[in-house]
Amino acid sequence: MSERIGGADERSDPLLEVEDLETHFPITRGFLRREVGRVRAVDGVSFRIDRGETFGLVGESGSGKTTTALSALRLEEPTGGEIRFDGESVTDLSGADLRAFRRRAQLIVQDPNDAFNPRMTVGEAVAEPLALHGMNDAERRRRIVADLLERVGLAADDADRYPHEFSGGEKQRIAIARALVLNPDLIVADEPTSALDGRVQSDVLALLDDVRREFDVAVLFISHDIDVVRQFCDRLAVMYLGEIVERGPTAEVLNDPAHPYTRVLLGSVPSLDPSDRELARPLTDSVPEPSDPPAGCRFHPRCPDVIAPADVDLEPDLWRTVAAFRFSVRTGELPPEIDAARGTEDPEPGIDETTVREAFDLPGELPDDRAEEGVAAAAEAIARGDLDAATDTLAEAFPTVCGRESPADGDRHERQVRCHRYDSAVEATPRSSSRTLETDG
C-alpha cells in the first residue's frame, strides 16, 4: 500500500486475549419488562490470537460464534469476562479510546450486499472509515482507496462505480479493501464466503490469505464450513451452545477430533470419497435452547459417547441405543408409530411394550437387570401415552455424570477438550469404533 495511516508499535504476542467472556441477553415479559430469564449466547469463552495468525471459530448456527466475535470487538457489550488487545484491557474502554481500538480491529460481514450503502460509490464507501477517523484530505483518501482496490484485484477506476455494478465476489473484495483501509492489526471475518459459490469462495480465501501475509494482520475467521476452516485457519476453536468444547491446531483437531461434538460436525460433512466413513451422529437432532441449556455438559443430550452409569453393564453399542432412547423420549422425538400414543391415558390400538422396543431398535431384553427394569418401565409408560412418566423413569434409571457436572477443560496432545472422558476422576466406558478415544484414566 503506497500510503497507510496509523500503525501499532511492535509488541509481544498474543494480539488478542479473550478470557471467560460472557454475553447474555435478558428475556423480559409483561408491561414492566420484568426479566424472566437469559439467553446465554456466550458463556465463559476463552481464546487467544497471535499477531499474523488465522484463528477459526466453528460450530452450528446458533452456537455463539458471531456473538463471540462481535463481543470481542465491543460491537456487542459483554456481560462478563476480560478482553485484552496487544496487552491492554479494552473491556471498559469508551469514547476516543474505544474508537482507537476499533481502528485496529475491523469487521468483514457475511453478506457483502449488506455491507454498503447503495447511494455511495465504492470509493466513498471504502474511504468512509478514513474520514470518520479524521483524515480530511480528500485527495489522500482517494489515493489510498485506489491503491487498495488494485491490491484486492480490482481497478482504481472502480472507485467511481456503485455496489450494484459488482458481482458478489467483487463486493466481498471491496469489503476486504474497506477493512484494510485503516491498517488494522486484526480482521474479524464473519462467514465471509458463505454467500458465494465455490470458485469465488476459493478466490476470496486466497485473497484473505495474501492480505494476512502481506500486511501481517491476524484474522478471526468465523464459519460453519469445516472444509473452509481446514483450508484457511492455523488454529481453531469448536463452539457449542455458547461454550468452546475443543481448541487446538487445525490439522490436529480435524484429523483426529477428540470431542464428540467435533466428530459429529465432521461426520456431517459430505464426501465424494467412498472410503470415508461417518465419524459420528448425534443421539437426537434437537438442539437445546440457549435460554435453557442442559445441566452438566451442554452436549450430553445429543452425545453419542455419553458416559454410562457405573452400575450399568452394557456393551458400548447397546448403551448408545439405550441413551438414544432416553434422550429421544426426553426431547419428544418419537417415531411416527409411537407418537400417536402421546397425550392419552388409554393404550393406543397396536401399541405395546414390544412395539416401543422395536421402534427404538431396543432388544427384547437387556442383559443387565437394572437397565432392563428401567427400559421396560419406560416402554410401558410410552405405550399408555404417559411420556412424562417415561422421561422420569429413564432419568432415574440411567443417571450420567455428563448430565450432573459441567466438565472442565482437559488436555490432549496440547489441545483443550471440554469433556468428562478426559478427566482422570471419571471412569468412562470404552468406545467400540475403530478410532479409540484416549483418556487420562
Side-chain angles (χ1 to χ4, degrees), residues 59-89:
E60 295 170 295
S61 296
S63 61
K65 308 183 299 296
T66 294
T67 305
T68 297
L70 295 180
S71 300
L73 293 179
R74 295 281 310 281
L75 296 173
E76 288 282 2
E77 282 303 321
T79 52
E82 178 70 20
I83 305 164
R84 289 183 291 275
F85 190 80
D86 222 356
E88 298 181 359
S89 175

PDB file of all heavy atoms in Angstrom, residues 59-89:
ATOM      1  N   GLY A  59     -18.771 -24.008  14.313  1.00  0.00           N
ATOM      2  CA  GLY A  59     -19.873 -24.636  15.022  1.00  0.00           C
ATOM      3  C   GLY A  59     -21.158 -24.446  14.245  1.00  0.00           C
ATOM      4  O   GLY A  59     -21.201 -23.744  13.235  1.00  0.00           O
ATOM      5  N   GLU A  60     -22.218 -25.109  14.717  1.00  0.00           N
ATOM      6  CA  GLU A  60     -23.509 -24.984  14.070  1.00  0.00           C
ATOM      7  C   GLU A  60     -24.050 -23.567  14.199  1.00  0.00           C
ATOM      8  O   GLU A  60     -23.613 -22.790  15.052  1.00  0.00           O
ATOM      9  CB  GLU A  60     -24.511 -25.956  14.707  1.00  0.00           C
ATOM     10  CG  GLU A  60     -24.191 -27.422  14.506  1.00  0.00           C
ATOM     11  CD  GLU A  60     -25.078 -28.301  15.368  1.00  0.00           C
ATOM     12  OE1 GLU A  60     -24.971 -28.227  16.611  1.00  0.00           O
ATOM     13  OE2 GLU A  60     -25.870 -29.068  14.800  1.00  0.00           O
ATOM     14  N   SER A  61     -25.039 -23.242  13.362  1.00  0.00           N
ATOM     15  CA  SER A  61     -25.735 -21.968  13.515  1.00  0.00           C
ATOM     16  C   SER A  61     -26.354 -21.901  14.907  1.00  0.00           C
ATOM     17  O   SER A  61     -26.937 -22.867  15.389  1.00  0.00           O
ATOM     18  CB  SER A  61     -26.826 -21.829  12.455  1.00  0.00           C
ATOM     19  OG  SER A  61     -26.273 -21.788  11.162  1.00  0.00           O
ATOM     20  N   GLY A  62     -26.191 -20.751  15.569  1.00  0.00           N
ATOM     21  CA  GLY A  62     -26.707 -20.593  16.919  1.00  0.00           C
ATOM     22  C   GLY A  62     -25.751 -21.010  18.012  1.00  0.00           C
ATOM     23  O   GLY A  62     -26.105 -20.950  19.197  1.00  0.00           O
ATOM     24  N   SER A  63     -24.526 -21.408  17.652  1.00  0.00           N
ATOM     25  CA  SER A  63     -23.571 -21.852  18.669  1.00  0.00           C
ATOM     26  C   SER A  63     -22.926 -20.690  19.416  1.00  0.00           C
ATOM     27  O   SER A  63     -22.299 -20.906  20.456  1.00  0.00           O
ATOM     28  CB  SER A  63     -22.483 -22.728  18.032  1.00  0.00           C
ATOM     29  OG  SER A  63     -21.765 -21.996  17.048  1.00  0.00           O
ATOM     30  N   GLY A  64     -23.060 -19.459  18.891  1.00  0.00           N
ATOM     31  CA  GLY A  64     -22.492 -18.302  19.576  1.00  0.00           C
ATOM     32  C   GLY A  64     -21.255 -17.731  18.926  1.00  0.00           C
ATOM     33  O   GLY A  64     -20.616 -16.834  19.487  1.00  0.00           O
ATOM     34  N   LYS A  65     -20.902 -18.203  17.719  1.00  0.00           N
ATOM     35  CA  LYS A  65     -19.665 -17.764  17.071  1.00  0.00           C
ATOM     36  C   LYS A  65     -19.678 -16.260  16.787  1.00  0.00           C
ATOM     37  O   LYS A  65     -18.740 -15.542  17.146  1.00  0.00           O
ATOM     38  CB  LYS A  65     -19.464 -18.520  15.754  1.00  0.00           C
ATOM     39  CG  LYS A  65     -19.544 -20.012  15.841  1.00  0.00           C
ATOM     40  CD  LYS A  65     -19.263 -20.672  14.505  1.00  0.00           C
ATOM     41  CE  LYS A  65     -20.237 -20.282  13.409  1.00  0.00           C
ATOM     42  NZ  LYS A  65     -21.637 -20.722  13.686  1.00  0.00           N
ATOM     43  N   THR A  66     -20.728 -15.799  16.107  1.00  0.00           N
ATOM     44  CA  THR A  66     -20.779 -14.388  15.719  1.00  0.00           C
ATOM     45  C   THR A  66     -20.876 -13.489  16.946  1.00  0.00           C
ATOM     46  O   THR A  66     -20.201 -12.448  17.012  1.00  0.00           O
ATOM     47  CB  THR A  66     -21.968 -14.140  14.781  1.00  0.00           C
ATOM     48  OG1 THR A  66     -21.754 -14.849  13.555  1.00  0.00           O
ATOM     49  CG2 THR A  66     -22.127 -12.661  14.481  1.00  0.00           C
ATOM     50  N   THR A  67     -21.676 -13.874  17.926  1.00  0.00           N
ATOM     51  CA  THR A  67     -21.787 -13.059  19.135  1.00  0.00           C
ATOM     52  C   THR A  67     -20.454 -12.979  19.864  1.00  0.00           C
ATOM     53  O   THR A  67     -20.100 -11.929  20.421  1.00  0.00           O
ATOM     54  CB  THR A  67     -22.876 -13.622  20.066  1.00  0.00           C
ATOM     55  OG1 THR A  67     -24.110 -13.735  19.346  1.00  0.00           O
ATOM     56  CG2 THR A  67     -23.089 -12.722  21.264  1.00  0.00           C
ATOM     57  N   THR A  68     -19.694 -14.072  19.870  1.00  0.00           N
ATOM     58  CA  THR A  68     -18.361 -14.049  20.468  1.00  0.00           C
ATOM     59  C   THR A  68     -17.476 -13.024  19.779  1.00  0.00           C
ATOM     60  O   THR A  68     -16.797 -12.211  20.429  1.00  0.00           O
ATOM     61  CB  THR A  68     -17.714 -15.444  20.379  1.00  0.00           C
ATOM     62  OG1 THR A  68     -18.477 -16.374  21.144  1.00  0.00           O
ATOM     63  CG2 THR A  68     -16.289 -15.423  20.900  1.00  0.00           C
ATOM     64  N   ALA A  69     -17.467 -13.040  18.442  1.00  0.00           N
ATOM     65  CA  ALA A  69     -16.618 -12.120  17.693  1.00  0.00           C
ATOM     66  C   ALA A  69     -17.054 -10.672  17.891  1.00  0.00           C
ATOM     67  O   ALA A  69     -16.218  -9.782  18.112  1.00  0.00           O
ATOM     68  CB  ALA A  69     -16.647 -12.487  16.210  1.00  0.00           C
ATOM     69  N   LEU A  70     -18.360 -10.414  17.818  1.00  0.00           N
ATOM     70  CA  LEU A  70     -18.844  -9.043  17.996  1.00  0.00           C
ATOM     71  C   LEU A  70     -18.588  -8.551  19.413  1.00  0.00           C
ATOM     72  O   LEU A  70     -18.311  -7.363  19.627  1.00  0.00           O
ATOM     73  CB  LEU A  70     -20.337  -8.980  17.670  1.00  0.00           C
ATOM     74  CG  LEU A  70     -20.722  -9.277  16.214  1.00  0.00           C
ATOM     75  CD1 LEU A  70     -22.242  -9.177  16.045  1.00  0.00           C
ATOM     76  CD2 LEU A  70     -20.017  -8.333  15.246  1.00  0.00           C
ATOM     77  N   SER A  71     -18.658  -9.453  20.378  1.00  0.00           N
ATOM     78  CA  SER A  71     -18.360  -9.067  21.758  1.00  0.00           C
ATOM     79  C   SER A  71     -16.884  -8.743  21.933  1.00  0.00           C
ATOM     80  O   SER A  71     -16.525  -7.817  22.669  1.00  0.00           O
ATOM     81  CB  SER A  71     -18.778 -10.185  22.720  1.00  0.00           C
ATOM     82  OG  SER A  71     -20.156 -10.457  22.618  1.00  0.00           O
ATOM     83  N   ALA A  72     -16.026  -9.510  21.264  1.00  0.00           N
ATOM     84  CA  ALA A  72     -14.591  -9.231  21.344  1.00  0.00           C
ATOM     85  C   ALA A  72     -14.249  -7.871  20.756  1.00  0.00           C
ATOM     86  O   ALA A  72     -13.286  -7.224  21.182  1.00  0.00           O
ATOM     87  CB  ALA A  72     -13.808 -10.327  20.625  1.00  0.00           C
ATOM     88  N   LEU A  73     -15.049  -7.423  19.772  1.00  0.00           N
ATOM     89  CA  LEU A  73     -14.851  -6.106  19.172  1.00  0.00           C
ATOM     90  C   LEU A  73     -15.596  -5.012  19.928  1.00  0.00           C
ATOM     91  O   LEU A  73     -15.521  -3.842  19.535  1.00  0.00           O
ATOM     92  CB  LEU A  73     -15.323  -6.110  17.713  1.00  0.00           C
ATOM     93  CG  LEU A  73     -14.528  -6.958  16.722  1.00  0.00           C
ATOM     94  CD1 LEU A  73     -15.154  -6.866  15.338  1.00  0.00           C
ATOM     95  CD2 LEU A  73     -13.072  -6.517  16.680  1.00  0.00           C
ATOM     96  N   ARG A  74     -16.369  -5.393  20.955  1.00  0.00           N
ATOM     97  CA  ARG A  74     -17.216  -4.461  21.699  1.00  0.00           C
ATOM     98  C   ARG A  74     -18.329  -3.881  20.838  1.00  0.00           C
ATOM     99  O   ARG A  74     -18.841  -2.791  21.103  1.00  0.00           O
ATOM    100  CB  ARG A  74     -16.385  -3.341  22.316  1.00  0.00           C
ATOM    101  CG  ARG A  74     -15.392  -3.757  23.397  1.00  0.00           C
ATOM    102  CD  ARG A  74     -16.068  -3.969  24.734  1.00  0.00           C
ATOM    103  NE  ARG A  74     -16.928  -2.849  25.101  1.00  0.00           N
ATOM    104  CZ  ARG A  74     -16.474  -1.688  25.603  1.00  0.00           C
ATOM    105  NH1 ARG A  74     -15.167  -1.537  25.836  1.00  0.00           N
ATOM    106  NH2 ARG A  74     -17.311  -0.729  25.920  1.00  0.00           N
ATOM    107  N   LEU A  75     -18.701  -4.594  19.762  1.00  0.00           N
ATOM    108  CA  LEU A  75     -19.873  -4.215  18.985  1.00  0.00           C
ATOM    109  C   LEU A  75     -21.130  -4.776  19.633  1.00  0.00           C
ATOM    110  O   LEU A  75     -22.238  -4.300  19.390  1.00  0.00           O
ATOM    111  CB  LEU A  75     -19.744  -4.705  17.540  1.00  0.00           C
ATOM    112  CG  LEU A  75     -18.594  -4.066  16.753  1.00  0.00           C
ATOM    113  CD1 LEU A  75     -18.441  -4.737  15.392  1.00  0.00           C
ATOM    114  CD2 LEU A  75     -18.814  -2.568  16.585  1.00  0.00           C
ATOM    115  N   GLU A  76     -20.987  -5.828  20.399  1.00  0.00           N
ATOM    116  CA  GLU A  76     -21.967  -6.285  21.375  1.00  0.00           C
ATOM    117  C   GLU A  76     -21.305  -6.118  22.738  1.00  0.00           C
ATOM    118  O   GLU A  76     -20.124  -6.432  22.907  1.00  0.00           O
ATOM    119  CB  GLU A  76     -22.343  -7.761  21.172  1.00  0.00           C
ATOM    120  CG  GLU A  76     -23.191  -8.047  19.960  1.00  0.00           C
ATOM    121  CD  GLU A  76     -24.656  -7.696  20.160  1.00  0.00           C
ATOM    122  OE1 GLU A  76     -24.999  -7.179  21.256  1.00  0.00           O
ATOM    123  OE2 GLU A  76     -25.427  -7.934  19.231  1.00  0.00           O
ATOM    124  N   GLU A  77     -22.045  -5.602  23.696  1.00  0.00           N
ATOM    125  CA  GLU A  77     -21.455  -5.369  25.014  1.00  0.00           C
ATOM    126  C   GLU A  77     -21.438  -6.661  25.819  1.00  0.00           C
ATOM    127  O   GLU A  77     -22.501  -7.240  26.090  1.00  0.00           O
ATOM    128  CB  GLU A  77     -22.226  -4.285  25.761  1.00  0.00           C
ATOM    129  CG  GLU A  77     -21.884  -2.881  25.297  1.00  0.00           C
ATOM    130  CD  GLU A  77     -20.400  -2.567  25.422  1.00  0.00           C
ATOM    131  OE1 GLU A  77     -19.769  -2.978  26.423  1.00  0.00           O
ATOM    132  OE2 GLU A  77     -19.863  -1.917  24.504  1.00  0.00           O
ATOM    133  N   PRO A  78     -20.254  -7.130  26.213  1.00  0.00           N
ATOM    134  CA  PRO A  78     -20.187  -8.333  27.048  1.00  0.00           C
ATOM    135  C   PRO A  78     -20.805  -8.078  28.422  1.00  0.00           C
ATOM    136  O   PRO A  78     -20.821  -6.939  28.914  1.00  0.00           O
ATOM    137  CB  PRO A  78     -18.680  -8.597  27.158  1.00  0.00           C
ATOM    138  CG  PRO A  78     -18.045  -7.769  26.090  1.00  0.00           C
ATOM    139  CD  PRO A  78     -18.931  -6.600  25.875  1.00  0.00           C
ATOM    140  N   THR A  79     -21.302  -9.132  29.035  1.00  0.00           N
ATOM    141  CA  THR A  79     -21.823  -9.032  30.397  1.00  0.00           C
ATOM    142  C   THR A  79     -20.825  -9.570  31.418  1.00  0.00           C
ATOM    143  O   THR A  79     -21.079  -9.494  32.618  1.00  0.00           O
ATOM    144  CB  THR A  79     -23.146  -9.806  30.519  1.00  0.00           C
ATOM    145  OG1 THR A  79     -22.970 -11.144  30.027  1.00  0.00           O
ATOM    146  CG2 THR A  79     -24.238  -9.136  29.703  1.00  0.00           C
ATOM    147  N   GLY A  80     -19.702 -10.084  30.944  1.00  0.00           N
ATOM    148  CA  GLY A  80     -18.682 -10.573  31.861  1.00  0.00           C
ATOM    149  C   GLY A  80     -17.423 -10.959  31.104  1.00  0.00           C
ATOM    150  O   GLY A  80     -17.420 -11.081  29.880  1.00  0.00           O
ATOM    151  N   GLY A  81     -16.344 -11.139  31.852  1.00  0.00           N
ATOM    152  CA  GLY A  81     -15.086 -11.566  31.243  1.00  0.00           C
ATOM    153  C   GLY A  81     -14.154 -10.406  30.964  1.00  0.00           C
ATOM    154  O   GLY A  81     -14.424  -9.247  31.299  1.00  0.00           O
ATOM    155  N   GLU A  82     -13.039 -10.729  30.333  1.00  0.00           N
ATOM    156  CA  GLU A  82     -11.983  -9.767  30.071  1.00  0.00           C
ATOM    157  C   GLU A  82     -11.528  -9.883  28.627  1.00  0.00           C
ATOM    158  O   GLU A  82     -11.370 -10.986  28.100  1.00  0.00           O
ATOM    159  CB  GLU A  82     -10.797 -10.016  31.017  1.00  0.00           C
ATOM    160  CG  GLU A  82      -9.613  -9.110  30.819  1.00  0.00           C
ATOM    161  CD  GLU A  82      -9.875  -7.664  31.239  1.00  0.00           C
ATOM    162  OE1 GLU A  82     -10.826  -7.434  32.021  1.00  0.00           O
ATOM    163  OE2 GLU A  82      -9.127  -6.781  30.795  1.00  0.00           O
ATOM    164  N   ILE A  83     -11.308  -8.726  27.990  1.00  0.00           N
ATOM    165  CA  ILE A  83     -10.772  -8.662  26.624  1.00  0.00           C
ATOM    166  C   ILE A  83      -9.509  -7.818  26.667  1.00  0.00           C
ATOM    167  O   ILE A  83      -9.540  -6.676  27.150  1.00  0.00           O
ATOM    168  CB  ILE A  83     -11.782  -8.034  25.639  1.00  0.00           C
ATOM    169  CG1 ILE A  83     -13.114  -8.768  25.684  1.00  0.00           C
ATOM    170  CG2 ILE A  83     -11.220  -8.029  24.218  1.00  0.00           C
ATOM    171  CD1 ILE A  83     -14.249  -7.995  25.044  1.00  0.00           C
ATOM    172  N   ARG A  84      -8.409  -8.353  26.178  1.00  0.00           N
ATOM    173  CA  ARG A  84      -7.154  -7.598  26.101  1.00  0.00           C
ATOM    174  C   ARG A  84      -6.657  -7.589  24.664  1.00  0.00           C
ATOM    175  O   ARG A  84      -6.656  -8.628  24.002  1.00  0.00           O
ATOM    176  CB  ARG A  84      -6.094  -8.214  27.027  1.00  0.00           C
ATOM    177  CG  ARG A  84      -6.375  -8.009  28.494  1.00  0.00           C
ATOM    178  CD  ARG A  84      -5.270  -8.566  29.368  1.00  0.00           C
ATOM    179  NE  ARG A  84      -5.232 -10.022  29.311  1.00  0.00           N
ATOM    180  CZ  ARG A  84      -5.966 -10.830  30.056  1.00  0.00           C
ATOM    181  NH1 ARG A  84      -6.815 -10.328  30.938  1.00  0.00           N
ATOM    182  NH2 ARG A  84      -5.855 -12.129  29.938  1.00  0.00           N
ATOM    183  N   PHE A  85      -6.258  -6.427  24.218  1.00  0.00           N
ATOM    184  CA  PHE A  85      -5.752  -6.269  22.852  1.00  0.00           C
ATOM    185  C   PHE A  85      -4.358  -5.679  22.917  1.00  0.00           C
ATOM    186  O   PHE A  85      -4.165  -4.585  23.452  1.00  0.00           O
ATOM    187  CB  PHE A  85      -6.679  -5.359  22.038  1.00  0.00           C
ATOM    188  CG  PHE A  85      -6.373  -5.330  20.565  1.00  0.00           C
ATOM    189  CD1 PHE A  85      -6.814  -6.351  19.738  1.00  0.00           C
ATOM    190  CD2 PHE A  85      -5.646  -4.295  20.013  1.00  0.00           C
ATOM    191  CE1 PHE A  85      -6.542  -6.337  18.382  1.00  0.00           C
ATOM    192  CE2 PHE A  85      -5.362  -4.267  18.652  1.00  0.00           C
ATOM    193  CZ  PHE A  85      -5.815  -5.284  17.846  1.00  0.00           C
ATOM    194  N   ASP A  86      -3.394  -6.429  22.406  1.00  0.00           N
ATOM    195  CA  ASP A  86      -1.992  -6.006  22.463  1.00  0.00           C
ATOM    196  C   ASP A  86      -1.556  -5.724  23.894  1.00  0.00           C
ATOM    197  O   ASP A  86      -0.813  -4.780  24.167  1.00  0.00           O
ATOM    198  CB  ASP A  86      -1.775  -4.773  21.595  1.00  0.00           C
ATOM    199  CG  ASP A  86      -0.473  -4.875  20.794  1.00  0.00           C
ATOM    200  OD1 ASP A  86       0.269  -5.856  20.987  1.00  0.00           O
ATOM    201  OD2 ASP A  86      -0.204  -3.980  19.986  1.00  0.00           O
ATOM    202  N   GLY A  87      -2.052  -6.540  24.815  1.00  0.00           N
ATOM    203  CA  GLY A  87      -1.639  -6.439  26.207  1.00  0.00           C
ATOM    204  C   GLY A  87      -2.427  -5.458  27.038  1.00  0.00           C
ATOM    205  O   GLY A  87      -2.224  -5.386  28.259  1.00  0.00           O
ATOM    206  N   GLU A  88      -3.343  -4.691  26.433  1.00  0.00           N
ATOM    207  CA  GLU A  88      -4.099  -3.685  27.170  1.00  0.00           C
ATOM    208  C   GLU A  88      -5.575  -4.062  27.219  1.00  0.00           C
ATOM    209  O   GLU A  88      -6.138  -4.520  26.227  1.00  0.00           O
ATOM    210  CB  GLU A  88      -3.932  -2.308  26.522  1.00  0.00           C
ATOM    211  CG  GLU A  88      -2.503  -1.800  26.525  1.00  0.00           C
ATOM    212  CD  GLU A  88      -2.377  -0.423  25.897  1.00  0.00           C
ATOM    213  OE1 GLU A  88      -3.422   0.118  25.444  1.00  0.00           O
ATOM    214  OE2 GLU A  88      -1.260   0.108  25.853  1.00  0.00           O
ATOM    215  N   SER A  89      -6.200  -3.829  28.359  1.00  0.00           N
ATOM    216  CA  SER A  89      -7.610  -4.151  28.518  1.00  0.00           C
ATOM    217  C   SER A  89      -8.468  -3.209  27.688  1.00  0.00           C
ATOM    218  O   SER A  89      -8.258  -1.987  27.695  1.00  0.00           O
ATOM    219  CB  SER A  89      -8.012  -4.056  29.991  1.00  0.00           C
ATOM    220  OG  SER A  89      -9.409  -4.265  30.136  1.00  0.00           O
TER     221      SER A  89
END
